[in-house]
PDB file of all heavy atoms in Angstrom:
ATOM      1  N   ILE A1107      79.896 109.007 118.419  1.00 96.00           N
ATOM      2  CA  ILE A1107      80.056 108.299 117.189  1.00 96.00           C
ATOM      3  C   ILE A1107      78.767 108.251 116.465  1.00 96.00           C
ATOM      4  O   ILE A1107      77.718 107.934 116.996  1.00 96.00           O
ATOM      5  CB  ILE A1107      80.527 106.874 117.547  1.00 96.00           C
ATOM      6  CG1 ILE A1107      81.796 106.837 118.318  1.00 96.00           C
ATOM      7  CG2 ILE A1107      80.497 106.036 116.293  1.00 96.00           C
ATOM      8  CD1 ILE A1107      83.060 107.236 117.436  1.00 96.00           C
ATOM      9  N   ARG A1108      78.750 108.747 115.167  1.00 97.00           N
ATOM     10  CA  ARG A1108      77.591 108.753 114.514  1.00 97.00           C
ATOM     11  C   ARG A1108      77.693 107.950 113.216  1.00 97.00           C
ATOM     12  O   ARG A1108      78.671 108.128 112.450  1.00 97.00           O
ATOM     13  CB  ARG A1108      77.198 110.217 114.144  1.00 97.00           C
ATOM     14  CG  ARG A1108      76.913 111.078 115.418  1.00 97.00           C
ATOM     15  CD  ARG A1108      76.462 112.404 114.953  1.00 97.00           C
ATOM     16  NE  ARG A1108      77.297 113.123 114.177  1.00 97.00           N
ATOM     17  CZ  ARG A1108      77.051 114.211 113.380  1.00 97.00           C
ATOM     18  NH1 ARG A1108      75.740 114.579 113.210  1.00 97.00           N
ATOM     19  NH2 ARG A1108      77.943 114.775 112.650  1.00 97.00           N
ATOM     20  N   PHE A1109      76.779 107.026 112.934  1.00 98.00           N
ATOM     21  CA  PHE A1109      76.731 106.297 111.640  1.00 98.00           C
ATOM     22  C   PHE A1109      75.324 105.936 111.204  1.00 98.00           C
ATOM     23  O   PHE A1109      74.405 106.285 112.009  1.00 98.00           O
ATOM     24  CB  PHE A1109      77.613 105.071 111.829  1.00 98.00           C
ATOM     25  CG  PHE A1109      77.163 104.124 112.896  1.00 98.00           C
ATOM     26  CD1 PHE A1109      76.416 102.901 112.585  1.00 98.00           C
ATOM     27  CD2 PHE A1109      77.608 104.249 114.174  1.00 98.00           C
ATOM     28  CE1 PHE A1109      76.035 102.075 113.528  1.00 98.00           C
ATOM     29  CE2 PHE A1109      77.211 103.423 115.209  1.00 98.00           C
ATOM     30  CZ  PHE A1109      76.450 102.327 114.860  1.00 98.00           C
ATOM     31  N   ILE A1110      75.200 105.212 110.183  1.00 98.00           N
ATOM     32  CA  ILE A1110      73.862 104.856 109.699  1.00 98.00           C
ATOM     33  C   ILE A1110      73.815 103.305 109.794  1.00 98.00           C
ATOM     34  O   ILE A1110      74.781 102.688 109.432  1.00 98.00           O
ATOM     35  CB  ILE A1110      73.638 105.244 108.233  1.00 98.00           C
ATOM     36  CG1 ILE A1110      73.763 106.870 108.228  1.00 98.00           C
ATOM     37  CG2 ILE A1110      72.208 104.833 107.747  1.00 98.00           C
ATOM     38  CD1 ILE A1110      73.770 107.381 106.745  1.00 98.00           C
ATOM     39  N   LEU A1111      72.689 102.871 110.239  1.00 98.00           N
ATOM     40  CA  LEU A1111      72.463 101.370 110.314  1.00 98.00           C
ATOM     41  C   LEU A1111      71.236 101.012 109.651  1.00 98.00           C
ATOM     42  O   LEU A1111      70.071 101.348 109.983  1.00 98.00           O
ATOM     43  CB  LEU A1111      72.436 100.953 111.742  1.00 98.00           C
ATOM     44  CG  LEU A1111      71.928  99.466 112.034  1.00 98.00           C
ATOM     45  CD1 LEU A1111      73.051  98.504 111.414  1.00 98.00           C
ATOM     46  CD2 LEU A1111      71.824  99.161 113.617  1.00 98.00           C
ATOM     47  N   ASN A1112      71.373 100.233 108.564  1.00 97.00           N
ATOM     48  CA  ASN A1112      70.220  99.918 107.709  1.00 97.00           C
ATOM     49  C   ASN A1112      69.295 101.104 107.378  1.00 97.00           C
ATOM     50  O   ASN A1112      68.004 100.978 107.525  1.00 97.00           O
ATOM     51  CB  ASN A1112      69.406  98.770 108.349  1.00 97.00           C
ATOM     52  CG  ASN A1112      70.171  97.458 108.403  1.00 97.00           C
ATOM     53  OD1 ASN A1112      71.115  97.270 107.641  1.00 97.00           O
ATOM     54  ND2 ASN A1112      69.822  96.608 109.392  1.00 97.00           N
ATOM     55  N   GLY A1113      69.928 102.201 107.125  1.00 95.00           N
ATOM     56  CA  GLY A1113      69.222 103.466 106.854  1.00 95.00           C
ATOM     57  C   GLY A1113      68.792 104.281 107.989  1.00 95.00           C
ATOM     58  O   GLY A1113      68.189 105.404 107.824  1.00 95.00           O
ATOM     59  N   GLU A1114      68.991 103.816 109.165  1.00 97.00           N
ATOM     60  CA  GLU A1114      68.597 104.542 110.375  1.00 97.00           C
ATOM     61  C   GLU A1114      69.887 105.278 111.018  1.00 97.00           C
ATOM     62  O   GLU A1114      70.856 104.646 111.161  1.00 97.00           O
ATOM     63  CB  GLU A1114      67.983 103.568 111.481  1.00 97.00           C
ATOM     64  CG  GLU A1114      67.687 104.263 112.784  1.00 97.00           C
ATOM     65  CD  GLU A1114      67.238 103.210 113.833  1.00 97.00           C
ATOM     66  OE1 GLU A1114      67.054 101.998 113.448  1.00 97.00           O
ATOM     67  OE2 GLU A1114      67.090 103.592 115.057  1.00 97.00           O
ATOM     68  N   ASP A1115      69.652 106.468 111.432  1.00 97.00           N
ATOM     69  CA  ASP A1115      70.753 107.308 112.060  1.00 97.00           C
ATOM     70  C   ASP A1115      71.032 106.699 113.418  1.00 97.00           C
ATOM     71  O   ASP A1115      70.075 106.505 114.299  1.00 97.00           O
ATOM     72  CB  ASP A1115      70.387 108.769 112.179  1.00 97.00           C
ATOM     73  CG  ASP A1115      70.320 109.407 110.845  1.00 97.00           C
ATOM     74  OD1 ASP A1115      71.223 108.950 109.950  1.00 97.00           O
ATOM     75  OD2 ASP A1115      69.671 110.384 110.595  1.00 97.00           O
ATOM     76  N   ILE A1116      72.299 106.547 113.833  1.00 97.00           N
ATOM     77  CA  ILE A1116      72.719 106.069 115.101  1.00 97.00           C
ATOM     78  C   ILE A1116      73.711 107.165 115.695  1.00 97.00           C
ATOM     79  O   ILE A1116      74.684 107.518 114.939  1.00 97.00           O
ATOM     80  CB  ILE A1116      73.409 104.687 114.988  1.00 97.00           C
ATOM     81  CG1 ILE A1116      72.454 103.689 114.424  1.00 97.00           C
ATOM     82  CG2 ILE A1116      73.892 104.292 116.475  1.00 97.00           C
ATOM     83  CD1 ILE A1116      71.248 103.370 115.271  1.00 97.00           C
ATOM     84  N   ALA A1117      73.587 107.595 116.939  1.00 97.00           N
ATOM     85  CA  ALA A1117      74.477 108.402 117.654  1.00 97.00           C
ATOM     86  C   ALA A1117      74.748 107.889 119.018  1.00 97.00           C
ATOM     87  O   ALA A1117      73.826 107.552 119.722  1.00 97.00           O
ATOM     88  CB  ALA A1117      73.927 109.864 117.616  1.00 97.00           C
ATOM     89  N   LEU A1118      76.024 107.661 119.250  1.00 97.00           N
ATOM     90  CA  LEU A1118      76.354 107.060 120.570  1.00 97.00           C
ATOM     91  C   LEU A1118      77.380 108.025 121.280  1.00 97.00           C
ATOM     92  O   LEU A1118      78.465 108.284 120.707  1.00 97.00           O
ATOM     93  CB  LEU A1118      77.085 105.667 120.290  1.00 97.00           C
ATOM     94  CG  LEU A1118      76.272 104.624 119.542  1.00 97.00           C
ATOM     95  CD1 LEU A1118      77.177 103.463 119.162  1.00 97.00           C
ATOM     96  CD2 LEU A1118      75.114 104.282 120.319  1.00 97.00           C
ATOM     97  N   SER A1119      76.959 108.429 122.404  1.00 95.00           N
ATOM     98  CA  SER A1119      77.880 109.359 123.183  1.00 95.00           C
ATOM     99  C   SER A1119      78.510 108.678 124.338  1.00 95.00           C
ATOM    100  O   SER A1119      79.390 109.237 125.044  1.00 95.00           O
ATOM    101  CB  SER A1119      76.958 110.516 123.795  1.00 95.00           C
ATOM    102  OG  SER A1119      75.866 110.015 124.546  1.00 95.00           O
ATOM    103  N   SER A1120      78.131 107.530 124.629  1.00 95.00           N
ATOM    104  CA  SER A1120      78.936 106.552 125.518  1.00 95.00           C
ATOM    105  C   SER A1120      79.040 105.217 124.947  1.00 95.00           C
ATOM    106  O   SER A1120      78.127 104.595 124.365  1.00 95.00           O
ATOM    107  CB  SER A1120      78.048 106.533 126.805  1.00 95.00           C
ATOM    108  OG  SER A1120      78.721 105.617 127.761  1.00 95.00           O
ATOM    109  N   LEU A1121      80.240 104.678 124.933  1.00 96.00           N
ATOM    110  CA  LEU A1121      80.604 103.473 124.180  1.00 96.00           C
ATOM    111  C   LEU A1121      81.844 102.836 124.816  1.00 96.00           C
ATOM    112  O   LEU A1121      82.895 103.476 124.967  1.00 96.00           O
ATOM    113  CB  LEU A1121      80.829 103.865 122.686  1.00 96.00           C
ATOM    114  CG  LEU A1121      81.144 102.643 121.793  1.00 96.00           C
ATOM    115  CD1 LEU A1121      79.980 101.750 121.626  1.00 96.00           C
ATOM    116  CD2 LEU A1121      81.579 103.220 120.316  1.00 96.00           C
ATOM    117  N   ASP A1122      81.649 101.528 125.053  1.00 96.00           N
ATOM    118  CA  ASP A1122      82.806 100.803 125.417  1.00 96.00           C
ATOM    119  C   ASP A1122      83.835 100.793 124.293  1.00 96.00           C
ATOM    120  O   ASP A1122      83.357 100.370 123.101  1.00 96.00           O
ATOM    121  CB  ASP A1122      82.366  99.285 125.757  1.00 96.00           C
ATOM    122  CG  ASP A1122      83.518  98.450 126.111  1.00 96.00           C
ATOM    123  OD1 ASP A1122      84.694  98.621 125.646  1.00 96.00           O
ATOM    124  OD2 ASP A1122      83.321  97.356 126.735  1.00 96.00           O
ATOM    125  N   PRO A1123      85.028 101.185 124.346  1.00 96.00           N
ATOM    126  CA  PRO A1123      85.911 101.288 123.274  1.00 96.00           C
ATOM    127  C   PRO A1123      86.227  99.916 122.492  1.00 96.00           C
ATOM    128  O   PRO A1123      86.699  99.902 121.335  1.00 96.00           O
ATOM    129  CB  PRO A1123      87.317 101.731 123.905  1.00 96.00           C
ATOM    130  CG  PRO A1123      87.164 101.443 125.240  1.00 96.00           C
ATOM    131  CD  PRO A1123      85.780 101.461 125.647  1.00 96.00           C
ATOM    132  N   THR A1124      85.956  98.763 123.115  1.00 97.00           N
ATOM    133  CA  THR A1124      86.113  97.497 122.509  1.00 97.00           C
ATOM    134  C   THR A1124      84.838  96.724 122.255  1.00 97.00           C
ATOM    135  O   THR A1124      84.844  95.431 122.105  1.00 97.00           O
ATOM    136  CB  THR A1124      87.144  96.615 123.156  1.00 97.00           C
ATOM    137  OG1 THR A1124      86.637  96.449 124.570  1.00 97.00           O
ATOM    138  CG2 THR A1124      88.539  97.192 123.194  1.00 97.00           C
ATOM    139  N   GLU A1125      83.692  97.451 122.193  1.00 97.00           N
ATOM    140  CA  GLU A1125      82.422  96.744 121.986  1.00 97.00           C
ATOM    141  C   GLU A1125      82.471  96.420 120.438  1.00 97.00           C
ATOM    142  O   GLU A1125      82.668  97.211 119.580  1.00 97.00           O
ATOM    143  CB  GLU A1125      81.305  97.672 122.252  1.00 97.00           C
ATOM    144  CG  GLU A1125      79.904  96.984 121.909  1.00 97.00           C
ATOM    145  CD  GLU A1125      78.721  97.847 122.379  1.00 97.00           C
ATOM    146  OE1 GLU A1125      78.887  98.862 122.943  1.00 97.00           O
ATOM    147  OE2 GLU A1125      77.588  97.430 122.068  1.00 97.00           O
ATOM    148  N   THR A1126      82.112  95.182 120.145  1.00 98.00           N
ATOM    149  CA  THR A1126      82.215  94.626 118.732  1.00 98.00           C
ATOM    150  C   THR A1126      80.815  95.049 118.002  1.00 98.00           C
ATOM    151  O   THR A1126      79.869  95.126 118.708  1.00 98.00           O
ATOM    152  CB  THR A1126      82.406  93.234 118.627  1.00 98.00           C
ATOM    153  OG1 THR A1126      81.282  92.496 119.202  1.00 98.00           O
ATOM    154  CG2 THR A1126      83.735  92.821 119.234  1.00 98.00           C
ATOM    155  N   LEU A1127      80.950  95.251 116.758  1.00 98.00           N
ATOM    156  CA  LEU A1127      79.715  95.413 115.974  1.00 98.00           C
ATOM    157  C   LEU A1127      78.786  94.313 116.113  1.00 98.00           C
ATOM    158  O   LEU A1127      77.449  94.499 116.203  1.00 98.00           O
ATOM    159  CB  LEU A1127      80.004  95.631 114.491  1.00 98.00           C
ATOM    160  CG  LEU A1127      78.939  95.829 113.579  1.00 98.00           C
ATOM    161  CD1 LEU A1127      78.020  97.018 113.922  1.00 98.00           C
ATOM    162  CD2 LEU A1127      79.466  96.028 112.116  1.00 98.00           C
ATOM    163  N   LEU A1128      79.211  93.085 116.152  1.00 98.00           N
ATOM    164  CA  LEU A1128      78.358  91.967 116.289  1.00 98.00           C
ATOM    165  C   LEU A1128      77.583  92.014 117.607  1.00 98.00           C
ATOM    166  O   LEU A1128      76.345  91.777 117.663  1.00 98.00           O
ATOM    167  CB  LEU A1128      79.165  90.688 116.190  1.00 98.00           C
ATOM    168  CG  LEU A1128      78.232  89.358 116.303  1.00 98.00           C
ATOM    169  CD1 LEU A1128      77.266  89.325 115.107  1.00 98.00           C
ATOM    170  CD2 LEU A1128      79.155  88.082 116.242  1.00 98.00           C
ATOM    171  N   ASP A1129      78.183  92.359 118.710  1.00 98.00           N
ATOM    172  CA  ASP A1129      77.483  92.434 120.011  1.00 98.00           C
ATOM    173  C   ASP A1129      76.479  93.516 119.996  1.00 98.00           C
ATOM    174  O   ASP A1129      75.335  93.409 120.454  1.00 98.00           O
ATOM    175  CB  ASP A1129      78.456  92.725 121.157  1.00 98.00           C
ATOM    176  CG  ASP A1129      79.116  91.306 121.626  1.00 98.00           C
ATOM    177  OD1 ASP A1129      78.753  90.263 121.133  1.00 98.00           O
ATOM    178  OD2 ASP A1129      80.144  91.455 122.357  1.00 98.00           O
ATOM    179  N   PHE A1130      76.835  94.633 119.357  1.00 98.00           N
ATOM    180  CA  PHE A1130      75.971  95.860 119.243  1.00 98.00           C
ATOM    181  C   PHE A1130      74.763  95.437 118.485  1.00 98.00           C
ATOM    182  O   PHE A1130      73.565  95.727 118.776  1.00 98.00           O
ATOM    183  CB  PHE A1130      76.648  96.944 118.613  1.00 98.00           C
ATOM    184  CG  PHE A1130      75.762  98.182 118.322  1.00 98.00           C
ATOM    185  CD1 PHE A1130      75.446  99.070 119.348  1.00 98.00           C
ATOM    186  CD2 PHE A1130      75.281  98.448 117.080  1.00 98.00           C
ATOM    187  CE1 PHE A1130      74.700 100.178 119.098  1.00 98.00           C
ATOM    188  CE2 PHE A1130      74.439  99.507 116.857  1.00 98.00           C
ATOM    189  CZ  PHE A1130      74.128 100.392 117.938  1.00 98.00           C
ATOM    190  N   LEU A1131      74.979  94.700 117.288  1.00 98.00           N
ATOM    191  CA  LEU A1131      73.744  94.343 116.526  1.00 98.00           C
ATOM    192  C   LEU A1131      72.734  93.323 117.179  1.00 98.00           C
ATOM    193  O   LEU A1131      71.648  93.530 117.157  1.00 98.00           O
ATOM    194  CB  LEU A1131      74.305  93.716 115.161  1.00 98.00           C
ATOM    195  CG  LEU A1131      75.039  94.661 114.159  1.00 98.00           C
ATOM    196  CD1 LEU A1131      75.582  93.695 113.031  1.00 98.00           C
ATOM    197  CD2 LEU A1131      74.169  95.722 113.733  1.00 98.00           C
ATOM    198  N   ARG A1132      73.427  92.303 117.780  1.00 98.00           N
ATOM    199  CA  ARG A1132      72.639  91.282 118.339  1.00 98.00           C
ATOM    200  C   ARG A1132      72.006  91.573 119.656  1.00 98.00           C
ATOM    201  O   ARG A1132      70.873  91.290 119.933  1.00 98.00           O
ATOM    202  CB  ARG A1132      73.418  89.971 118.462  1.00 98.00           C
ATOM    203  CG  ARG A1132      73.877  89.337 117.115  1.00 98.00           C
ATOM    204  CD  ARG A1132      74.604  88.065 117.295  1.00 98.00           C
ATOM    205  NE  ARG A1132      73.856  87.027 118.037  1.00 98.00           N
ATOM    206  CZ  ARG A1132      72.942  86.267 117.496  1.00 98.00           C
ATOM    207  NH1 ARG A1132      72.803  86.263 116.218  1.00 98.00           N
ATOM    208  NH2 ARG A1132      72.268  85.359 118.244  1.00 98.00           N
ATOM    209  N   LEU A1133      72.780  92.221 120.552  1.00 97.00           N
ATOM    210  CA  LEU A1133      72.394  92.392 121.963  1.00 97.00           C
ATOM    211  C   LEU A1133      71.631  93.753 122.106  1.00 97.00           C
ATOM    212  O   LEU A1133      70.708  93.802 122.921  1.00 97.00           O
ATOM    213  CB  LEU A1133      73.516  92.416 122.838  1.00 97.00           C
ATOM    214  CG  LEU A1133      74.379  91.136 122.824  1.00 97.00           C
ATOM    215  CD1 LEU A1133      75.556  91.199 123.761  1.00 97.00           C
ATOM    216  CD2 LEU A1133      73.540  89.887 123.175  1.00 97.00           C
ATOM    217  N   LYS A1134      71.995  94.733 121.422  1.00 97.00           N
ATOM    218  CA  LYS A1134      71.346  96.031 121.544  1.00 97.00           C
ATOM    219  C   LYS A1134      70.361  96.402 120.532  1.00 97.00           C
ATOM    220  O   LYS A1134      69.456  97.231 120.740  1.00 97.00           O
ATOM    221  CB  LYS A1134      72.507  97.114 121.620  1.00 97.00           C
ATOM    222  CG  LYS A1134      73.354  97.006 122.765  1.00 97.00           C
ATOM    223  CD  LYS A1134      74.300  98.164 122.931  1.00 97.00           C
ATOM    224  CE  LYS A1134      75.110  98.021 124.244  1.00 97.00           C
ATOM    225  NZ  LYS A1134      76.219  99.108 124.388  1.00 97.00           N
ATOM    226  N   ARG A1135      70.474  95.860 119.311  1.00 97.00           N
ATOM    227  CA  ARG A1135      69.540  96.183 118.263  1.00 97.00           C
ATOM    228  C   ARG A1135      68.672  94.963 117.900  1.00 97.00           C
ATOM    229  O   ARG A1135      67.800  95.132 117.054  1.00 97.00           O
ATOM    230  CB  ARG A1135      70.356  96.710 117.022  1.00 97.00           C
ATOM    231  CG  ARG A1135      71.236  97.871 117.271  1.00 97.00           C
ATOM    232  CD  ARG A1135      70.534  99.089 117.604  1.00 97.00           C
ATOM    233  NE  ARG A1135      69.615  99.587 116.581  1.00 97.00           N
ATOM    234  CZ  ARG A1135      68.976 100.692 116.670  1.00 97.00           C
ATOM    235  NH1 ARG A1135      69.066 101.434 117.764  1.00 97.00           N
ATOM    236  NH2 ARG A1135      68.078 101.078 115.718  1.00 97.00           N
ATOM    237  N   ARG A1136      68.901  93.827 118.432  1.00 98.00           N
ATOM    238  CA  ARG A1136      68.186  92.678 118.132  1.00 98.00           C
ATOM    239  C   ARG A1136      68.219  92.248 116.683  1.00 98.00           C
ATOM    240  O   ARG A1136      67.254  91.730 116.244  1.00 98.00           O
ATOM    241  CB  ARG A1136      66.701  92.706 118.720  1.00 98.00           C
ATOM    242  CG  ARG A1136      66.639  93.039 120.232  1.00 98.00           C
ATOM    243  CD  ARG A1136      67.378  92.150 121.053  1.00 98.00           C
ATOM    244  NE  ARG A1136      66.901  90.671 120.945  1.00 98.00           N
ATOM    245  CZ  ARG A1136      67.643  89.681 121.498  1.00 98.00           C
ATOM    246  NH1 ARG A1136      68.741  89.937 121.918  1.00 98.00           N
ATOM    247  NH2 ARG A1136      67.007  88.499 121.258  1.00 98.00           N
ATOM    248  N   LEU A1137      69.282  92.618 115.965  1.00 98.00           N
ATOM    249  CA  LEU A1137      69.435  92.149 114.635  1.00 98.00           C
ATOM    250  C   LEU A1137      70.226  90.862 114.721  1.00 98.00           C
ATOM    251  O   LEU A1137      71.523  90.851 114.669  1.00 98.00           O
ATOM    252  CB  LEU A1137      70.183  93.265 113.855  1.00 98.00           C
ATOM    253  CG  LEU A1137      69.357  94.564 113.670  1.00 98.00           C
ATOM    254  CD1 LEU A1137      70.174  95.649 113.075  1.00 98.00           C
ATOM    255  CD2 LEU A1137      68.074  94.313 112.786  1.00 98.00           C
ATOM    256  N   THR A1138      69.569  89.768 114.716  1.00 97.00           N
ATOM    257  CA  THR A1138      70.158  88.442 115.059  1.00 97.00           C
ATOM    258  C   THR A1138      70.458  87.563 113.813  1.00 97.00           C
ATOM    259  O   THR A1138      70.897  86.506 113.960  1.00 97.00           O
ATOM    260  CB  THR A1138      69.348  87.698 115.991  1.00 97.00           C
ATOM    261  OG1 THR A1138      67.979  87.515 115.462  1.00 97.00           O
ATOM    262  CG2 THR A1138      69.144  88.320 117.362  1.00 97.00           C
ATOM    263  N   GLY A1139      70.225  88.147 112.584  1.00 97.00           N
ATOM    264  CA  GLY A1139      70.587  87.407 111.453  1.00 97.00           C
ATOM    265  C   GLY A1139      72.199  87.201 111.440  1.00 97.00           C
ATOM    266  O   GLY A1139      72.663  86.082 111.104  1.00 97.00           O
ATOM    267  N   SER A1140      72.955  88.207 111.824  1.00 97.00           N
ATOM    268  CA  SER A1140      74.395  88.106 111.920  1.00 97.00           C
ATOM    269  C   SER A1140      74.737  87.120 113.075  1.00 97.00           C
ATOM    270  O   SER A1140      74.311  87.363 114.209  1.00 97.00           O
ATOM    271  CB  SER A1140      75.092  89.332 112.030  1.00 97.00           C
ATOM    272  OG  SER A1140      74.770  90.250 110.977  1.00 97.00           O
ATOM    273  N   LYS A1141      75.443  86.054 112.764  1.00 97.00           N
ATOM    274  CA  LYS A1141      75.756  84.988 113.838  1.00 97.00           C
ATOM    275  C   LYS A1141      77.187  85.113 114.256  1.00 97.00           C
ATOM    276  O   LYS A1141      78.149  85.504 113.628  1.00 97.00           O
ATOM    277  CB  LYS A1141      75.444  83.600 113.306  1.00 97.00           C
ATOM    278  CG  LYS A1141      74.105  83.397 112.672  1.00 97.00           C
ATOM    279  CD  LYS A1141      73.058  83.539 113.804  1.00 97.00           C
ATOM    280  CE  LYS A1141      71.669  82.927 113.322  1.00 97.00           C
ATOM    281  NZ  LYS A1141      71.046  83.901 112.263  1.00 97.00           N
TER     282      LYS A1141
END
Side-chain angles (χ1 to χ4, degrees):
I1107 298 289
R1108 298 186 300 159
F1109 60 96
I1110 303 169
L1111 172 60
N1112 292 338
E1114 177 187 352
D1115 289 329
I1116 303 292
L1118 304 173
S1119 57
S1120 177
L1121 179 66
D1122 179 338
T1124 55
E1125 179 173 357
T1126 65
L1127 174 56
L1128 184 61
D1129 282 349
F1130 177 78
L1131 293 175
R1132 292 183 60 84
L1133 303 179
K1134 293 185 176 178
R1135 305 295 299 186
R1136 304 307 297 167
L1137 295 170
T1138 56
S1140 304
K1141 303 295 193 291

